[in-house]
Amino acid sequence: MKIEFRKIPQTSSDFDIVSDSVKFSGIFSKISTKLVELDSKLEGKLQVQCCRCGKDMDIGLSEENKFLLSDGIYKDENEDERIVIEIDEGIVDFDTILQSEINAYQSDFYICGECENDTQELEIEY
Ligand SMILES: [Zn+2]
């Protein structure tokens, strides 16, 4: 789902996209000529790999994030609790935002149930 930055209305609009079993939804609105506010929710299941045995496993996602989309370079130096994303070429691409969220999760370290049990056994032995 792509939207031209300049066409985003000041009134809140809904969005709802799905990639595999991850749902990315929420509302967005333009708060200034160069800024769009995006309140999002990430839900569903994501396949990740155990960092010890490499086995695939699913993790449950349930996260709310507030983003600030900036048309071009974000210059405001005020501290902001929102995650700033700089948009290129005046196009907001929700799929790219979702994909970068998924990539961030997948680059984290996970340990599957079996490896977790192994660790506990080792701790008892030594
Ligand atoms: Zn494992």
Side-chain angles (χ1 to χ4, degrees):
M1 183 176 136
K2 288 183 185 176
I3 297 179
E4 262 185 75
F5 200 98
R6 60 186 182 88
K7 287 185 182 166
I8 293 176
Q10 284 175 342
T11 50
S12 292
S13 308
D14 295 334
F15 73 96
D16 191 336
I17 59 170
V18 173
S19 168
D20 295 325
S21 47
V22 179
K23 186 183 165 197
F24 186 48
S25 62
I27 53 166
F28 61 99
S29 60
K30 194 177 269 178
I31 54 172
S32 78
T33 52
K34 293 277 178 191
L35 291 175
V36 163
E37 194 176 50
L38 173 68
D39 284 1
S40 73
K41 213 171 175 184
L42 204 61
E43 294 165 295
K45 269 186 191 167
L46 183 65
Q47 195 176 69
V48 295
Q49 272 92 40
C50 171
C51 66
R52 291 185 68 189
C53 68
K55 210 173 81 175
D56 287 336
M57 60 177 181
D58 287 336
I59 55 164
L61 298 181
S62 175
E63 196 180 296
E64 289 180 22
N65 277 323
K66 287 181 193 292
F67 294 99
L68 204 55
L69 310 181
S70 167
D71 186 16
I73 295 168
Y74 182 67
K75 291 195 186 85
D76 196 341
E77 280 166 19
N78 294 332
E79 286 289 319
D80 202 299
E81 39 143 12
R82 293 172 286 200
I83 303 161
V84 176
I85 299 177
E86 291 174 353
I87 301 296
D88 294 327
E89 291 162 23
I91 304 282
V92 176
D93 184 347
F94 287 86
D95 299 288
T96 305
I97 299 171
L98 171 57
Q99 201 51 55
S100 67
E101 285 297 289
I102 289 176
N103 290 347
Y105 272 103
Q106 286 180 328
S107 63
D108 251 357
F109 291 101
Y110 299 96
I111 291 184
C112 74
E114 285 170 41
C115 292
E116 216 164 58
N117 287 340
D118 277 1
T119 316
Q120 282 166 2
E121 277 164 29
L122 283 177
E123 279 165 7
I124 296 164
E125 278 175 33
Y126 290 100

